[in-house]
Amino acid sequence: MHFTSERRLDGVLEREFTLGEIPGTLWTPGSAAPAPLILMAHNNGLPKAQPRLVARGRHTAAHGYAVATIDAAGCGDRPRSAADEQARAELRRAMQAGEPVDEIFESLVGPLVENAVPEWQTVLDALLPLPEIGGPVGYSGWMALGIRLAVVDPRIVAAGFFAGGFVPRAQREEARQVTIPLLMLLQWDDEGNPRQRALDLFDAFGTKEKTLHANMGGHTGTPWFEGEDANRFYGRHLK
C-alpha cells in the first residue's frame, strides 16, 4: 500500500492510497488509539470522490472510526470493459423507454460484485496491519456488495446497507446466509428501488438482529440524522 497524499480536515486525517491498480481513500480520527475500521462502498459505478460518499467518510471518521473506500474494478475512473459500457447504454435506453430492466441490471451488476469482492478483501488485508487501525470491521453502503462480503469474509461483524439500486439474484439468495447485525436504510419513494423488493430482502436476511429505518423521499434524500443513528449502531458492535 502506497499513500500518495494526505491532508487534515477538522481533526480527521484524509489520505489517498494505491494498492496495485486499486485507488482508495482512508480517513482516520485524530486520536492516537487504534480505531475500528469501516469499509464504505458506493453504489456500482460511482467514483470514490463522489461528494456524498466523501462527506459520509469524514463524518464517520470524526466519530472515532477509520474509514476506507476504493474505486473497485469498473467503478469510478477505472477502465470499464466494452460489455460494461454496452450494458450501461442499454440500461439508460430501457429506463427512458419504460421497459423492463431486471435482466440488464443482472448482466451489469452481477459481474461488478464478483470483481469487487476480492479487491475489497485485498484492501482489507493491507489495512488491518496499520497501527492506527484496530478492532473489528464494519461495512457501510452498497447492498449487493455488502451481502457477498458479509457471507464470505468473517472479519466483517456488522453492516449498514442502503436499499438502493438492484440486488442480483445471487445476492438475494445469499441474504439468507447473512447472520451479522444489520441496519438497513430505505427511502420510501426511491424511484430506482421498488419498495416491496427491498422489504422482501430485509425479511430474507438470516440474522436475528436487523433494523429497518424507512424515510420519505427519493434515492438521495436520506436524512442527515441517519448518520447519527448509524454511528450508534456501529458503536454497539465495533467499540
Side-chain angles (χ1 to χ4, degrees), residues 16-35:
E16 300 294 322
F17 66 83
T18 57
L19 182 61
E21 298 180 353
I22 306 170
T25 306
L26 175 65
W27 295 276
T28 48
S31 61

Side-chain angles (χ1 to χ4, degrees), residues 46-112:
L46 293 179
K48 65 182 179 63
Q50 206 272 344
R52 288 189 295 126
L53 180 74
V54 172
R56 282 172 48 214
R58 292 171 179 171
H59 178 267
T60 305
H63 282 74
Y65 302 93
V67 182
T69 189
I70 65 170
D71 277 342
C75 296
D77 295 328
R78 293 184 65 183
R80 296 174 178 176
S81 69
D84 284 348
E85 290 301 287
Q86 182 178 353
R88 292 177 193 277
E90 180 63 18
L91 176 62
R92 288 191 294 269
R93 185 204 63 77
M95 291 181 70
Q96 291 171 357
E99 298 174 358
V101 297
D102 274 18
E103 292 307 317
I104 303 173
F105 268 120
E106 192 78 34
S107 67
L108 175 63
V109 179
L112 282 177

